[in-house]
Amino acid sequence: LIYSNAIENNSPYASPQSAIQYMEQVAHQTGVQYVPTLWLNHDVQSSYPCSIAYQASVDEPFEKRMLLLRQLRQDALIEGNYHTLESEFYDLIQKLEMDKSKFSYYWQSGKAYKEFMINMASNNILGVHSFPTLSIHIPGKTTRFLHGYHHYYKIKRLIHNFCSDLHFSPLPHPIDFLKKFQPLTEYELMQVFDLSPEMFDDFIEKNIPFASIKVVNGLHLYFYGDDNQ
């Protein structure tokens, strides 16, 4: 939630230039690859529509909802394509093979907007005012919040300390992971598979020999095979 929330709270990040400055600081801290200056080329006033679109996908399986969320972020942060119109979301719904009629119902009836506002109110009650914030909830235990950016393996360690008898699923094979979430940046692959920059090329050659690379706005995106359209 970038501009609308910033404007409503009289935040210093209420302008695109200020928001970009903030995001560049975050990128420097995390190493995440993206092109923040692309936002200057678009009249983006609110990120609320993307959040409402996510709420409109409530009847979809969890994994498809995660793919929708990822696609929205990728389009905005890497390709500078920030979706704000209902018609723009239908292309994504079709691409992800989601139910267009159900999405349209939740969007046009106002149910998705209502759920979004309930979520916003809940965030305020819980004191969630920064991104990212991770909510760790295990039945029978107190919910804990982890604020700010943390490496994937640190989060796993914290969750294990919170509930030592919790078992994590093993990592997928790199090929399966790339097929499911493509395109992926170098940073994402290094984070998930705990790779250093020196290890990366050898890892790709041994584990994803058919990976192809497409350069988008100066960023290297990895696809499986030639599926890079």
Side-chain angles (χ1 to χ4, degrees):
L1 304 174
I2 305 167
Y3 300 123
S4 288
N5 201 33
I7 292 172
E8 288 172 6
N9 292 283
N10 196 27
S11 167
Y13 306 121
S15 70
Q17 292 82 359
S18 298
I20 287 170
Q21 183 179 9
Y22 170 73
M23 293 301 291
E24 286 179 335
Q25 294 172 357
V26 173
H28 178 74
Q29 175 192 359
T30 63
V32 172
Q33 296 175 289
Y34 77 106
V35 184
T37 53
L38 288 172
W39 292 356
L40 290 175
N41 300 324
H42 300 268
D43 185 23
V44 178
Q45 297 298 322
S46 175
S47 56
Y48 281 13
C50 288
S51 299
I52 296 169
Y54 174 75
Q55 295 294 343
S57 67
V58 64
D59 281 345
E60 297 291 343
F62 175 77
E63 287 198 353
K64 281 196 174 183
R65 299 189 77 196
M66 293 300 99
L67 289 174
L68 172 63
L69 190 59
R70 173 179 172 77
Q71 189 68 54
L72 291 170
R73 290 171 174 171
Q74 175 186 310
D75 289 352
L77 298 177
I78 294 178
E79 300 183 14
N81 183 17
Y82 216 107
H83 304 292
T84 57
L85 302 176
E86 180 184 358
S87 58
E88 295 174 336
F89 295 112
Y90 288 138
D91 292 336
L92 292 180
I93 295 302
Q94 182 176 0
K95 177 180 178 180
L96 297 174
E97 299 181 345
M98 300 170 75
D99 191 319
K100 180 179 177 180
S101 62
K102 288 185 177 180
F103 180 91
S104 178
Y105 166 73
Y106 282 106
W107 182 283
Q108 295 185 11
S109 68
K111 289 182 178 292
Y113 177 78
K114 181 179 179 180
E115 288 301 315
F116 165 67
M117 295 306 296
I118 290 174
N119 185 265
M120 289 284 288
S122 177
N123 285 341
N124 289 331
I125 293 172
L126 294 172
V128 177
H129 301 295
S130 62
F131 176 83
T133 294
L134 177 66
S135 171
I136 305 174
H137 176 72
I138 299 174
K141 294 182 177 289
T142 302
T143 299
R144 297 188 181 182
F145 294 95
L146 186 62
H147 300 279
Y149 168 79
H150 298 276
H151 190 283
Y152 171 69
Y153 286 90
K154 179 179 180 181
I155 294 174
K156 284 186 63 175
R157 187 166 60 251
L158 290 171
I159 294 176
H160 180 76
N161 292 337
F162 186 29
C163 185
S164 59
D165 58 349
L166 186 67
H167 298 284
F168 289 88
S169 300
L171 287 174
H173 190 280
I175 289 179
D176 295 331
F177 185 74
L178 181 57
K179 282 182 176 179
K180 182 175 182 178
F181 294 107
Q182 64 181 329
L184 293 169
T185 65
E186 291 182 16
Y187 175 81
E188 289 175 310
L189 288 166
M190 286 192 292
Q191 284 283 294
V192 172
F193 296 101
D194 199 24
L195 305 170
S196 67
E198 294 74 22
M199 299 165 58
F200 184 77
D201 289 340
D202 187 57
F203 172 84
I204 293 294
E205 183 177 346
K206 290 181 178 179
N207 293 281
I208 320 178
F210 301 107
S212 60
I213 303 174
K214 181 179 180 181
V215 180
V216 178
N217 294 312
L219 301 182
H220 291 76
L221 304 180
Y222 285 78
F223 296 79
Y224 182 74
D226 294 323
D227 188 16
N228 60 356
Q229 300 301 318

